[in-house]
Amino acid sequence: MDNTRQKPRPLVAVATFIVDKRNLFFLLYAISLIFCLFSRNWVSVNNDLTDYLPTDTETRQGLSLMEEQFTTFGTARVMLSNVTYDEAAALAKDLASIEGITTVDFGDASSAESRAEHFRNSAALFDVTFAGEEQDSVSLQAMNDLRAALSGYDVSISSAVGQDDSASLAQEMQVILVIAAIIIITVLLLTSRTYGEVPVLLLTFVAAAVLNMGTNFLCGEISFVSNSIAVVLQLALAIDYAIIFCHRFSEERQSADTREACILALSKSIPEISSSCLTTLAGLIAMMFMQFRIGLDLGIVLVKAILFSILSVFTLMPGLLMLFSRAMDKTHHRNFIPPITLWGRFVTRLKWVVPPLFACALVAAFFLSNQCPYAYGFTLLKTEKKSETVLEQEKIDGAFGTQNLLAVLVPAGDYTREGQLLDALSARPDVDSALGLANVPVEGEEYVLTDQLTPRQFAELTDLDVEVGRLLYTAYATDQEEYGRILNNIDNYGVPLLDMFLFLHDRVEEGYVTLDDDLRSELDDLYQQVHDAQLQLQGSDYSRLLVTLNLPEEGEETFACLDELHTLVRQYYPEGCYLVGESTSDYDLSTSFQHDNVLVSVLSVLFVIVVLLFTFQSVGMPLLLILVIQGSVWMNFAVPTLQHSYIFFLSYLIVSSIQMGANIDYAIVISSRYQELKTSRPPREAMIETLNLAFPTVFTSGSIMASAGILISKLTSNEAIYGVGLCLGRGTIISMALVLGVLPEILLLGDTIIEKTAFNLKYPALVHTVGASGKVYLDGRVRGTISGHIDAEVHGVLDGEVSAVVTVHQADPIQSEQEEAHETQT
C-alpha cells in the first residue's frame, strides 16, 4: 500500500514545535517571571479618578490650571469628643504651635454662631491648615505630631494628608486573592477529572497573572481600579481557556500517548479558545472607547491580561501537561458534579411557558434598569466594609455636617470685580461662605488684602512714620513706572494693601528699608499671612475664589445650583471662568456617562454579534443569544432600582461590558453542543444531553467569576471597587440562571428561525490522496478504501489500513503515527 507522507497542517506543526520545545519555553517563562516579579514594583498607580476625565471638561481644565498656578495647602478636620470648650480652646493653641501647622481655626469665642460651628454636644471641631501640600514631608510630619499630641483623646481626623488609599486597597486585595484562591482550588477539585489537573491550571494562571502585572509599567501609569481588580478579573475571565485545553487533553489521552494527545489537543484547542476569547475581548475593547478615560486604562490592562492568559495556555500549559501527565493518570477520581438530566427534562417541558414569561421580564427589566440610581461620587455609596478613614469622616459629618468646597477660577487683575462677585456669591442662600483675596481680612484690622490704602493709612497700619510711608509709595510708583503719581499729590495715591505689603517686605529684605525689631516681627507676621493667601488665591493669570456650599456633593439640587453659579459668575466675567470641585467633577461625570453608556452598550453588542455570526453562520442564533445575555444585564441593574440603592456609574460601564463579553461564552457552549447533538437525535433529547455536558463548564467558570465578584464586594472598603464586585457577582449568577433555565427553551422554539437564517461560508477544500497503515486520524470527507469502499464524513481514529482521497474542509490533518514521528525528526 502506498504510504504517502503528508505534510502536517500549520496548527499541528505549531503544536508539535511547542510540545517538543517545552524546555525552551520553561526557560523563557522562568526568565520572564523573574523579571516581572521585580518590574511589577515599577508600576505607578493613580488614585485620582478626576485625572481620567475628558480633557475638554471644565473640571479637568480647572484642575490643570490650579496645579499650574496655585498652591493648595493640606487641610484636616479634627474632632475631639468628650471635651469642654475651655479644654478644646487651650488645645487649639497647642496644636497651632506644632511645626508645619500654620493655622488652627476654632472659631470666634465672642460669636455664638461661630462657636456653635466648632463646638457641639461636648465635641470640638478644629479646621487645621498645614504649611505644605498634602504629600509634602512637612505636612506628613506635622500630621504625625498632631496625632501624637492628641493620642490621649477620643479623636477623629478627616484629611487627605498621610492617607494612602492604594496601600490599604492593596492589602484588601491580597486578602481577597488568598480567599479566592482557596475557593478556586475547591471548585477545580470538585469539577476536575483528575487531581493532577489542579496544579497545571494554577501554575498556568499564576504565570499569566505575574506577566500581566509585571508589564503594567509599560503603560506608564495605571489607575487604582485597574491595579486592584485586574488580577481577580483575569482569573475569572480567563480560567475557561485552561479548562478547555485540559479537558481536550484528557479526551485525546484516551486514545493516544501523552505527546500525541498533547499535540492534538493543542492543535484543536487553539481555534476553539481563540474564538471563545474574542467575545471577551470584544466587550473589553468596547469599554476602551469611553470618553471617561478610565475605560481605556482598564481596557488596556484587561486586554493585556487576556492575551497573556491565552499565551500561557498555548505555550506554557502543554509543557506542564507533559510534566504532570503521570500524576494526572494516577489521580483520577469520580465525577463530583452530578448530571442534571431531571433539570433538563423539566425545562424542556416548559418551552411554551418560559419564553413568554421571559419576554415580560425582559421588558420590565429594561425599564427598571433605565431607572437605576447612579452615583457619580462616593458620598451616596455604602459599602459592607468601611475603612477607618471613612468611619472617622462619617463621625465628623454626623456631628458637624459635611463640607462641599467649590473653587471658582476667574481672570486675575481686577480686585473690584472680585469683591463684587464675592458679595453676590455670599448673598446666595445655598452658599455658606465665599473667600477670595478681595475679602481676606488683615488680622486685627478693618481692611481686606485688596483695599487700596493711601500712604497715611498704610503708615498707621504698620506703625511707620508718615514721611517714610510717602517715600515708600514714591519708590513703589517709580518701580511701577507710574511717574504721574509722583508729580501729583502722593497722599492721594492708593495702592492695594497686598501689593504694598509685598513691596515693603522686598525692600526690607534687600536692605533699602530698616525697621526696628518689633516692627520687623510684625511685618514678617503680616507678610506670611499675605504670602500664604496669595499662594492659594492668586495665580499668574487667574484668581481663585473658595466657595462653601450648604448642599450635598451630588444630586439634582446641587447640579441645578452649579448651573446657576455659572450664570452668575459669567455676569461678572463673560471672558471665561471655571468651577472646580467634587460637585463639578460629579456633574461632568454624569454628562459623559450618558454618552459612554450608549456607546459601550452598542459597541459591545455589535462586536459580539459579529463574532457570533462567524461562529454559528446564522443570523438568528446571535440575536437569540444576545437577547438572553442582554436580558441578564438589564436584570442585573434592575435590582438597584428595586432596592433603592445607588450604584457607582463606573461599576455599570465596567460590568455591563464584561458581562456581555464573558457570560456570552456560557450561551455559546450550550448552543454549540445543541447544534452538534440535534443532528443525531430529537431536539428535546439533544437539549437534555447538552445541558448534562455543558453544566460542568458553566458551573466551573460561573462559580469562579461569581465568587470573585462577591468576595470583592464583601471585603473591600473602596466604593468604586465594591460596586464592580457586587454587580459582577450578581450579574454572573443571573447569566448562569438564564443560560441554564431560559436559553434551552428559546433554542428549542427558535430552531426554525436559526435554520432559515443560516448561511454557509465557503472555505477552500484541501484534497489529499492518502495511503497509510497503523493508527490513522481521519477528519474530513473520505472516499476510498478502508477494508472496503467508503464515501462519508469521518471524524475519528482508524487502526488499520487506508487508501483514499480526503477533502478537508476545515483544514484538519490526516496523519499517521509514523508520518508524525518522521515529520518531527525532520
Side-chain angles (χ1 to χ4, degrees):
M1 185 159 304
D2 182 23
N3 270 324
T4 306
R5 183 172 59 85
Q6 300 294 322
K7 185 177 181 180
R9 63 176 175 140
L11 287 182
V12 172
V14 171
T16 302
F17 176 80
I18 292 173
V19 171
D20 290 343
K21 302 298 181 181
R22 56 188 176 275
N23 290 330
L24 172 62
F25 283 102
F26 285 155
L27 176 62
L28 294 176
Y29 271 94
I31 296 172
S32 301
L33 292 174
I34 292 173
F35 172 79
C36 289
L37 287 173
F38 289 98
S39 64
R40 67 190 179 96
N41 297 317
W42 304 345
V43 179
S44 177
V45 179
N46 190 336
N47 294 310
D48 189 359
L49 284 179
T50 60
D51 286 347
Y52 296 93
L53 283 168
T55 55
D56 59 348
T57 59
E58 181 181 27
T59 301
R60 182 64 265 158
Q61 293 176 0
L63 286 171
S64 299
L65 282 174
M66 290 202 299
E67 291 169 1
E68 295 170 3
Q69 301 193 20
F70 300 94
T71 297
T72 303
F73 293 117
T75 60
R77 300 178 81 198
V78 181
M79 186 181 77
L80 296 182
S81 302
N82 304 313
V83 294
T84 64
Y85 182 84
D86 293 337
E87 186 179 7
L91 276 171
K93 295 179 180 178
D94 294 339
L95 296 178
S97 64
I98 294 177
E99 184 178 357
I101 293 179
T102 56
T103 60
V104 177
D105 183 11
F106 188 51
D108 185 359
S110 61
S111 170
E113 182 180 356
S114 177
R115 178 167 174 161
E117 291 178 355
H118 290 269
F119 190 82
R120 300 176 185 174
N121 301 322
S122 300
L125 179 65
F126 305 135
D127 291 321
V128 179
T129 302
F130 296 92
E133 299 192 56
E134 292 175 354
Q135 300 304 320
D136 289 351
S137 58
V138 62
S139 300
L140 298 176
Q141 183 58 49
M143 175 60 81
N144 292 334
D145 295 341
L146 183 146
R147 291 185 181 276
L150 300 175
S151 59
Y153 295 89
D154 183 3
V155 60
S156 301
I157 301 177
S158 175
S159 175
V161 176
Q163 181 179 335
D164 191 351
D165 292 331
S166 60
S168 60
L169 183 58
Q171 292 177 351
E172 292 175 352
M173 295 310 298
Q174 288 176 359
V175 175
I176 291 172
L177 278 175
V178 171
I179 300 177
I182 295 173
I183 293 176
I184 289 166
I185 292 174
T186 303
V187 171
L188 291 178
L189 288 174
L190 290 174
T191 58
S192 64
R193 303 176 183 182
T194 167
Y195 293 125
E197 293 178 5
V198 177
V200 174
L201 297 173
L202 293 179
L203 287 172
T204 302
F205 171 73
V206 169
V210 172
L211 288 173
N212 191 49
M213 290 188 294
T215 54
N216 282 336
F217 77 95
L218 297 174
C219 301
E221 181 181 73
I222 64 174
S223 69
F224 73 93
V225 177
S226 303
N227 187 59
S228 57
I229 65 174
V231 64
V232 178
L233 292 181
Q234 180 181 5
L235 170 61
L237 293 172
I239 194 69
D240 283 357
Y241 311 144
I243 293 174
I244 289 172
F245 181 27
C246 197
H247 286 180
R248 176 69 73 173
F249 173 75
S250 297
E251 293 174 2
E252 299 294 342
R253 188 71 178 85
Q254 296 175 6
S255 58
D257 62 28
T258 303
R259 176 180 173 275
E260 292 173 353
C262 197
I263 292 173
L264 288 171
L266 180 58
S267 64
K268 294 180 179 180
S269 295
I270 288 176
E272 183 178 357
I273 293 174
S274 298
S275 61
S276 176
C277 83
L278 284 177
T279 55
T280 303
L281 292 175
L284 298 177
I285 292 173
M287 190 167 59
M288 295 167 64
F289 286 89
M290 290 166 50
Q291 282 186 336
F292 188 36
R293 290 182 296 114
I294 194 73
L296 177 63
D297 177 86
L298 184 60
I300 291 174
V301 173
L302 288 181
V303 165
K304 185 161 60 69
I306 297 300
L307 294 179
F308 273 122
S309 297
I310 295 175
L311 181 67
S312 298
V313 169
F314 289 164
T315 58
L316 175 63
M317 193 171 173
L320 293 175
L321 288 172
M322 296 288 290
L323 191 64
F324 284 87
S325 60
R326 291 185 180 179
M328 293 171 65
D329 291 338
K330 294 179 180 179
T331 57
H332 280 282
H333 60 77
R334 67 182 182 88
N335 189 1
F336 296 114
I337 302 298
I340 57 171
T341 304
L342 291 178
W343 174 256
R345 291 173 180 171
F346 173 73
V347 297
T348 53
R349 290 182 187 275
L350 301 176
K351 69 176 183 178
W352 298 106
V353 177
V354 171
L357 293 178
F358 174 68
C360 296
L362 201 64
V363 174
F366 171 76
F367 284 104
L368 287 173
S369 64
N370 284 334
Q371 302 300 317
C372 183
Y374 297 109
Y376 304 96
F378 295 151
T379 56
L380 297 176
L381 301 175
K382 304 297 181 183
T383 59
E384 296 189 24
K385 178 184 177 182
K386 296 182 179 180
S387 64
E388 283 296 322
T389 301
V390 172
L391 291 173
E392 290 185 350
Q393 182 174 332
E394 289 182 349
K395 190 175 181 181
I396 296 173
D397 292 344
F400 291 95
T402 60
Q403 271 191 338
N404 190 359
L405 190 62
L406 184 69
V408 181
L409 305 183
V410 296
D414 191 337
Y415 295 140
T416 302
R417 273 200 296 176
E418 285 185 30
Q420 294 172 347
L421 176 57
L422 287 168
D423 291 340
L425 289 170
S426 300
R428 289 182 59 90
D430 47 20
V431 173
D432 278 340
S433 64
L435 176 67
L437 284 177
N439 68 354
V440 173
V442 178
E443 187 176 358
E445 301 293 339
E446 69 275 15
Y447 300 117
V448 296
L449 288 178
T450 58
D451 281 345
Q452 294 195 356
L453 273 60
T454 63
R456 179 175 293 277
Q457 290 172 321
F458 186 77
E460 292 172 353
L461 174 64
T462 57
D463 291 333
L464 287 173
D465 184 77
V466 175
E467 291 301 323
V468 174
R470 290 191 180 103
L471 290 174
L472 184 63
Y473 268 60
T474 300
Y476 180 85
T478 303
D479 184 71
Q480 299 296 315
E481 297 183 353
E482 296 182 353
Y483 303 111
R485 298 288 188 175
I486 301 173
L487 299 176
N488 295 322
N489 189 355
I490 195 69
D491 287 336
N492 296 326
Y493 184 22
V495 177
L497 181 57
L498 168 69
D499 297 339
M500 187 51 68
F501 261 130
L502 298 175
F503 181 75
L504 174 58
H505 184 270
D506 290 342
R507 300 293 83 78
V508 171
E509 290 293 314
E510 293 168 358
Y512 294 113
V513 178
T514 303
L515 303 175
D516 58 49
D517 292 341
D518 291 340
L519 194 56
R520 175 64 186 271
S521 177
E522 183 178 353
L523 176 65
D524 287 341
D525 290 341
L526 290 173
Y527 172 78
Q528 188 62 47
Q529 178 185 356
V530 171
H531 181 66
D532 288 349
Q534 187 184 36
L535 287 176
Q536 296 184 83
L537 303 175
Q538 187 177 54
S540 57
D541 303 308
Y542 283 86
S543 292
R544 178 164 63 174
L545 315 179
L546 301 179
V547 179
T548 304
L549 303 177
N550 53 27
L551 296 173
E553 181 182 308
E554 64 175 299
E556 293 183 5
E557 185 181 6
T558 303
F559 293 162
C561 172
L562 293 178
D563 290 333
E564 294 173 5
L565 290 178
H566 272 109
T567 302
L568 175 61
V569 175
R570 289 195 179 104
Q571 291 177 3
Y572 293 89
Y573 291 92
E575 64 269 33
C577 61
Y578 298 92
L579 271 61
V580 185
E582 296 294 342
S583 292
T584 63
S585 173
D586 297 344
Y587 184 78
D588 287 338
L589 289 173
S590 69
T591 303
S592 65
F593 172 69
Q594 308 304 323
H595 171 272
D596 290 341
N597 184 17
V598 175
L599 181 68
V600 170
S601 299
V602 171
L603 288 181
S604 296
V605 171
L606 287 179
F607 289 163
V608 171
I609 284 179
V610 170
V611 175
L612 295 180
L613 278 174
F614 285 95
T615 301
F616 292 102
Q617 298 183 27
S618 169
V619 176
M621 180 67 83
L623 295 180
L624 294 178
L625 300 188
I626 288 292
L627 192 67
V628 173
I629 299 303
Q630 185 61 59
S632 71
V633 174
W634 288 336
M635 291 180 185
N636 188 12
F637 291 97
V639 174
T641 304
L642 298 174
Q643 294 178 337
H644 303 288
S645 60
Y646 285 93
I647 286 294
F648 194 46
F649 79 102
L650 184 60
S651 303
Y652 173 83
L653 292 174
I654 293 174
V655 173
S656 61
S657 298
I658 292 176
Q659 191 174 347
M660 174 58 69
N663 292 172
I664 195 74
D665 286 348
Y666 309 155
I668 292 174
V669 168
I670 290 180
S671 303
S672 300
R673 286 281 189 177
Y674 174 66
Q675 291 291 94
E676 178 183 342
L677 292 175
K678 74 176 184 178
T679 60
S680 59
R681 61 190 73 185
R684 183 167 180 263
E685 293 182 12
M687 182 56 70
I688 295 172
E689 182 62 20
T690 293
L691 291 175
N692 272 330
L693 294 174
F695 178 68
T697 302
V698 174
F699 174 79
T700 303
S701 176
S703 60
I704 289 175
M705 184 176 288
S707 299
I710 293 171
L711 272 176
I712 291 173
S713 68
K714 296 290 184 182
L715 298 179
T716 186
S717 59
N718 184 279
E719 294 87 349
I721 306 302
Y722 165 81
V724 173
L726 177 67
C727 297
L728 181 64
R730 183 176 61 219
T732 301
I733 293 173
I734 294 173
S735 296
M736 292 171 63
L738 293 185
V739 164
L740 294 173
V742 176
L743 181 63
E745 296 94 323
I746 291 178
L747 290 177
L748 288 173
L749 285 182
D751 267 339
T752 303
I753 298 175
I754 295 171
E755 291 174 1
K756 288 188 176 181
T757 58
F759 58 88
N760 291 319
L761 294 178
K762 300 294 184 180
Y763 296 100
L766 299 181
V767 179
H768 297 279
T769 301
V770 177
S773 62
K775 185 177 291 185
V776 184
Y777 301 91
L778 299 173
D779 195 355
R781 184 74 180 184
V782 182
R783 185 173 69 255
T785 303
I786 303 179
S787 300
H789 189 74
I790 184 172
D791 185 357
E793 290 281 346
V794 178
H795 307 280
V797 180
L798 169 72
D799 192 357
E801 296 183 351
V802 58
S803 177
V805 175
V806 182
T807 303
V808 189
H809 296 286
Q810 300 292 334
D812 285 328
I814 301 174
Q815 188 173 345
S816 68
E817 283 183 331
Q818 297 92 336
E819 292 167 345
E820 188 176 277
H822 184 82
E823 285 294 327
T824 303
Q825 294 169 3
T826 303

